[in-house]
Amino acid sequence: MTGTVPRGQSGCRGRLFSTRDMYDIERTEGLFVAAVRENCAFHYRNCPEYRRILDYTGFRPESIEGMGDIAGIPFLPTLFFKRHAVFSMPEDKIRTKVLSSGTSGMSSCIGYDAGAMACGVYMGLKVAARSRLVSARPANYIILGYRPHRDNPTGVTRTMFLSTFFSPALRRTYALEWKDGQYYPDMDGIVREMIRCSRSSFPVRILGFPSYTWFALKLLEQKGIRLSFPKGSRIVLSGGWKQHGAEEVDKKVLYRLAGQVLGIGEEDIVEFFSAVEHPVLYCTCKNHHFHVPVYSRVIIRDVDTLKPLGYGKQGLVNLVTPMMKATPILSVMTDDLGVLHEGAGCGCGIASPYLELKGRAGIREIRTCAAGAEAYLRGQEWML
């Protein structure tokens, strides 16, 4: 679809997320703009805090007429959502709430409406199918993350658990076990399970944080253990290094070690990028790049001026999606630094641009962005 969707037409979000080709951003441009305008107007009508921010900046939902207007939508930094729980729906209309991991001591609380949950299912199935994760053949799952617990409502824990349904789970083993009110890592138990799974005739799915995946691989290397997992085994990485940032290694180094100690080549390793405040799934292509799907747009902003930058320039990553109606996360500024590249430069055949993540921004940039949103709510000027 290339034309403009009529302003009065509703349901643009559902049509966008049901698009057959998840990377056909050129043909769905008009639909994306209409869905963003529809979403912005909904939050403006139903969320007093969001309306105050837009009124303070002089921005109006009806001013969104084309892709050139998307960058002008007032963005909210992720730190803002860690300080404020804001919703655009009454409690009885919010189907579930998800928390961010809260490694900084604060967590964002994001509400999901029924429509957003349906969009998430459509998106998840398409991403899984494209990544060759959907299979009728049972698999052993090794989850290098948190075992689900009623006191852990974080989004990453739920996502990892739901990922074990893309193929029938014979067994689920977790690296982080809940005990006495907190999680404890059991990496020796993970090594034992990896040895057991290498003797099975069924494939293995290793899901989890890059940090704990690296720790498990290094432990195997230190013990002099070399395994050969059954054909069809995969490694699925998601989430960042966060509190283990000092140990972070280049993904190519991690891929190489996985091949050495598990016999899993990089063609069978896929990585996902998402955030609780921006629940769109970005999955790597065969060349390990995060291409932008039709459900979102990525804007790179100058660290000092916050003005949009072109391709090939590093800045703060601003993410836009009309997915959610329960919480106004239409345009969110992350604390990630990144570079947006033209899709043709990848060579995988996907035409949409791809995002290269470069690490976390400094505390000054994060606090400056958050201060802007706080100022909107207070009716004050920008301040640190």
Side-chain angles (χ1 to χ4, degrees), residues 59-268:
F59 189 87
R60 291 292 180 270
E62 56 269 22
S63 67
I64 304 172
E65 298 182 342
M67 284 303 303
D69 302 313
I70 300 296
I73 301 171
F75 55 79
L76 297 179
T78 54
L79 187 57
F80 173 83
F81 292 100
K82 296 180 190 301
R83 293 175 174 173
H84 302 276
V86 292
F87 303 104
S88 302
M89 286 183 169
E91 286 285 338
D92 62 342
K93 297 293 184 181
I94 298 175
R95 294 295 177 254
T96 189
K97 292 180 180 178
V98 175
L99 299 184
S100 62
S101 56
T103 52
S104 62
M106 298 183 290
S107 297
S108 300
C109 180
I110 305 300
Y112 276 71
D113 57 284
M117 294 177 73
C119 288
V121 170
Y122 287 135
M123 175 177 61
L125 290 174
K126 286 179 186 175
V127 169
R130 193 177 186 101
S131 302
R132 297 183 293 118
L133 294 176
V134 177
S135 174
R137 189 181 183 192
N140 290 298
Y141 283 89
I142 297 175
I143 300 96
L144 297 169
Y146 303 102
R147 178 180 291 278
H149 189 272
R150 63 178 180 275
D151 292 330
N152 180 2
T154 58
V156 66
T157 302
R158 294 184 183 186
T159 300
M160 286 186 189
F161 177 70
L162 290 173
S163 297
T164 64
F165 289 91
F166 290 136
S167 67
L170 292 172
R171 181 181 173 113
R172 297 181 181 91
T173 303
Y174 289 85
L176 296 165
E177 295 285 355
W178 182 268
K179 183 180 178 181
D180 299 328
Q182 60 182 324
Y183 280 100
Y184 293 91
D186 181 16
M187 301 311 293
D188 287 327
I190 289 297
V191 168
R192 289 192 298 270
E193 180 63 12
M194 286 182 170
I195 294 172
R196 190 196 71 81
C197 287
S198 69
R199 298 167 181 159
S200 171
S201 59
F202 292 98
V204 183
R205 298 281 182 94
I206 297 177
L207 315 176
F209 299 116
S211 54
Y212 283 101
T213 304
W214 174 250
F215 299 153
L217 296 175
K218 287 297 290 182
L219 190 55
L220 287 169
E221 182 186 46
Q222 291 164 8
K223 291 177 177 289
I225 299 173
R226 298 290 186 271
L227 303 174
S228 180
F229 278 178
K231 184 179 179 180
S233 296
R234 308 291 303 280
I235 293 178
V236 182
L237 303 173
S238 62
W241 289 71
K242 297 186 179 179
Q243 67 265 43
H244 300 293
E247 291 87 8
E248 184 172 356
V249 298
D250 184 82
K251 63 173 64 177
K252 288 291 185 180
V253 176
L254 190 153
Y255 297 165
R256 187 162 51 249
L257 187 57
Q260 292 171 358
V261 302
L262 298 179
I264 296 180
E266 67 173 76
E267 68 277 5
D268 287 318

